[in-house]
Amino acid sequence: MKALVLLGCPETPSQTPMAVYVFNKLTKMGYDTTIAANPAASKLVRVSDPEGFYNLNIVDLERLLGEINEGDYDLLVGFVHKDAAASFFVTFEQLLNTKSLALVFSRDADEVAEFVNMIEESGSNAKIVAVRAFHNPSPIKVKFDKAIKEFE
Amino acid sequence: MKALVLLGCPETPSQTPMAVYVFNKLTKMGYDTTIAANPAASKLVRVSDPEGFYNLNIVDLERLLGEINEGDYDLLVGFVHKDAAASFFVTFEQLLNTKSLALVFSRDADEVAEFVNMIEESGSNAKIVAVRAFHNPSPIKVKFDKAIKEFE
């Protein structure tokens, strides 16, 4: 089983810690897991595991988008905290056509609703977890833990 | 030898990855290292090491401030990216009266200059590393690596 974790722009302080957390969780669930991120988001994740204990497998988001095909991954998990990230998530979901989980978060409740709408209006079948959160990762972590159980 | 790493508010996405990086580096240098942070910043650091591979030792910043005495630590390293963080750094430095390194960063060059001034005007003897950075940790990492060599 293969899982793909999509990161958005690196502005939000919760994303990098949660990226390691999600990678580790999926790996323990038996998924061969890949993180796709832009260069700045990738650097943040790499710096946070200086000894490489987590064996993080990180690839370039844009390059992967050009190469990916249906069936390449069995699970897609996306961090959605910008409209660009919502667009990427929807695009990857359509290309992969596999079970998907969107982690939507923002410090602004209107943005949370907007990103959820963007995903739903694309005709997505993804499970969507949405929460107001910015620099406290706990709400995202709790909702992710609950949602991912449905994929076990 | 004991080292204390002070974290500021958790808004900046570079702080959490760099906190793990700095903790790991100081530990490898032989320091018994403690991270002091507010609750949100602490949570971010904990989530980023879900398996506890780094044996991060994290304490509450405010509580530590009330307990600390000169001689408790041999090295102070502080992340300064808000004026509150500059105040905390200066206060801890005066209480500990030990060798100190301030990592000053912001996406705004004027803020970088302002925080450096705040530290210098306190009569601090700290080594100050200052850099414009926000979501790319590399400039901070490179400057930290260079500065910490002087403490080896």
Side-chain angles (χ1 to χ4, degrees), chain A residues 10-11 13-14 16-18 20-21 24 28 40 43-44 47-54 134-138 141, chain B residues 10-11 13-14 16-18 20-21 24 28 40 43-44 47-54 134-138 141:
Chain A
E11 273 81 4
S14 288
T16 306
M18 279 301 299
V20 179
Y21 183 85
N24 185 59
K28 283 166 73 179
K43 273 183 200 163
L44 285 166
V47 168
S48 72
D49 182 24
E51 298 294 332
F53 288 140
Y54 288 95
F134 186 67
H135 52 55
N136 181 351
S138 299
K141 180 169 165 286
Chain B
E11 274 79 4
S14 289
T16 306
M18 279 302 298
V20 179
Y21 183 84
N24 185 58
K28 285 165 70 178
K43 274 183 199 161
L44 285 166
V47 169
S48 72
D49 182 24
E51 297 294 331
F53 287 140
Y54 289 96
F134 186 67
H135 53 54
N136 180 351
S138 298
K141 181 170 165 283

Side-chain angles (χ1 to χ4, degrees), chain A residues 52-116:
Chain A
F53 288 140
Y54 288 95
N55 293 306
L56 300 164
N57 175 25
I58 310 172
V59 301
D60 184 72
L61 181 70
E62 298 270 1
R63 203 172 66 190
L64 183 67
L65 184 57
E67 296 170 350
I68 209 164
N69 293 300
E70 188 169 335
D72 284 353
Y73 293 91
D74 306 289
L75 173 64
L76 173 69
V77 177
F79 288 79
V80 178
H81 51 84
K82 288 271 180 187
D83 50 6
S87 299
F88 271 116
F89 178 80
V90 164
T91 306
F92 272 91
E93 195 204 351
Q94 286 167 350
L95 288 168
L96 289 172
N97 192 24
T98 190
K99 57 185 176 175
S100 303
L101 171 61
L103 304 173
V104 177
F105 59 105
S106 171
R107 68 195 328 168
D108 173 17
D110 290 342
E111 277 197 350
V112 172
E114 180 193 329
F115 302 152
V116 170

Side-chain angles (χ1 to χ4, degrees), chain B residues 27-129:
Chain B
T27 301
K28 285 165 70 178
M29 285 169 69
Y31 286 99
D32 176 5
T33 306
T34 300
I35 293 174
N38 72 23
S42 295
K43 274 183 199 161
L44 285 166
V45 177
R46 284 184 216 282
V47 169
S48 72
D49 182 24
E51 297 294 331
F53 287 140
Y54 289 96
N55 293 305
L56 300 164
N57 176 24
I58 310 173
V59 301
D60 183 73
L61 181 70
E62 298 270 1
R63 204 172 66 190
L64 184 67
L65 184 58
E67 297 170 350
I68 209 165
N69 292 300
E70 188 169 335
D72 284 352
Y73 293 91
D74 306 289
L75 172 65
L76 173 69
V77 177
F79 288 79
V80 178
H81 51 85
K82 288 271 179 187
D83 50 7
S87 299
F88 271 115
F89 179 80
V90 164
T91 306
F92 272 91
E93 195 205 351
Q94 286 167 350
L95 289 167
L96 289 171
N97 192 25
T98 189
K99 56 184 176 174
S100 303
L101 171 62
L103 305 174
V104 177
F105 59 104
S106 171
R107 70 196 326 170
D108 173 18
D110 290 342
E111 278 198 349
V112 172
E114 180 193 330
F115 302 151
V116 170
N117 282 343
M118 279 179 70
I119 297 171
E120 286 177 345
E121 284 172 5
S122 76
S124 168
N125 293 312
K127 178 166 178 66
I128 302 173
V129 154

